[in-house]
Amino acid sequence: ATDWLEKSVAEINALNVFPVPDGDTGTNMLLTMRSCMEDAFKCTDFSVSAIVRAMARGSLMGARGNSGVILSQIWHGIEQSLNGRSSLDSQGLAAALCRAAETARDGISNPVEGTILTVIKEASVACRNQSVEGKNGVASVLQAAVDAAGEAVANTPNLLTVLREAGVVDAGGLGLSLIHI
């Protein structure tokens, strides 16, 4: 996932118009994910809980810019939801993404639709719905989240005027969709 993000940094940076058109969203997300992965690779306990705890810590310590901070909040929500779990099933994945969406939104003083917050919310709803429908495989639930994230990114200009006027999708939302959290 971090490799996919790295390959798209220039594209994501070029889209960056909200909240500030500073052209660094892709770079900030990549630096955050690299820190996240560095801590994951150092983990010697291979339970889901321990690995996600390491990833959440790494993302927090390496968070850069608004997009990196939001991404670290997403990892924090995932970590909270998976605390104490040794493995991951589709219901756990759905619950983790729902918690991630809530944690990210709660961490923002003025949440705005049409951003990375919308993308994680839509991905989590799709994940939960796929899990509830009895299609219990982790792969099918994750695929539902990935598909919903892509659709949510495409819809961001319809939700946020600054994106529509610039003719772009949300940079942070695109970055998140490439990570496939």
Side-chain angles (χ1 to χ4, degrees), residues 53 139 141:
R53 183 174 38 257
V141 171

Side-chain angles (χ1 to χ4, degrees), residues 21-175:
D22 51 9
D24 63 357
T25 294
T27 301
N28 289 337
M29 292 182 83
L30 177 60
L31 293 172
T32 303
M33 281 303 297
R34 280 184 180 161
S35 181
C36 175
M37 296 309 299
E38 285 172 12
D39 276 22
F41 286 126
K42 292 176 188 173
C43 193
T44 57
D45 177 347
F46 299 117
S47 68
V48 167
S49 178
I51 293 169
V52 173
R53 183 174 38 257
M55 293 174 82
R57 183 184 184 293
S59 68
L60 176 63
M61 300 310 290
R64 302 290 185 269
N66 290 333
S67 56
V69 170
I70 294 169
L71 186 54
S72 76
Q73 288 300 303
I74 290 169
W75 281 111
H76 180 61
I78 292 170
E79 185 257 335
Q80 288 175 326
S81 182
L82 297 177
N83 187 26
R85 293 184 66 122
S86 60
S87 62
L88 183 66
D89 59 15
S90 60
Q91 289 79 23
L93 175 59
L97 286 185
C98 288
R99 183 68 175 264
E102 293 168 6
T103 302
R105 184 168 294 276
D106 290 347
I108 304 298
S109 60
N110 184 26
V112 175
E113 288 300 323
T115 65
I116 189 173
L117 298 174
T118 303
V119 175
I120 188 64
K121 176 184 73 177
E122 294 299 324
S124 72
V125 167
C127 195
R128 184 183 62 229
N129 290 345
Q130 185 76 1
S131 172
V132 169
E133 288 177 9
K135 299 174 183 163
N136 291 329
V138 171
S140 70
V141 171
L142 185 57
Q143 187 62 56
V146 169
D147 293 345
E151 291 172 17
V153 169
N155 192 46
T156 58
N158 297 322
L159 301 173
L160 193 55
T161 303
V162 68
L163 299 176
R164 185 173 47 255
E165 290 173 350
V168 298
V169 297
D170 182 64
L174 178 60

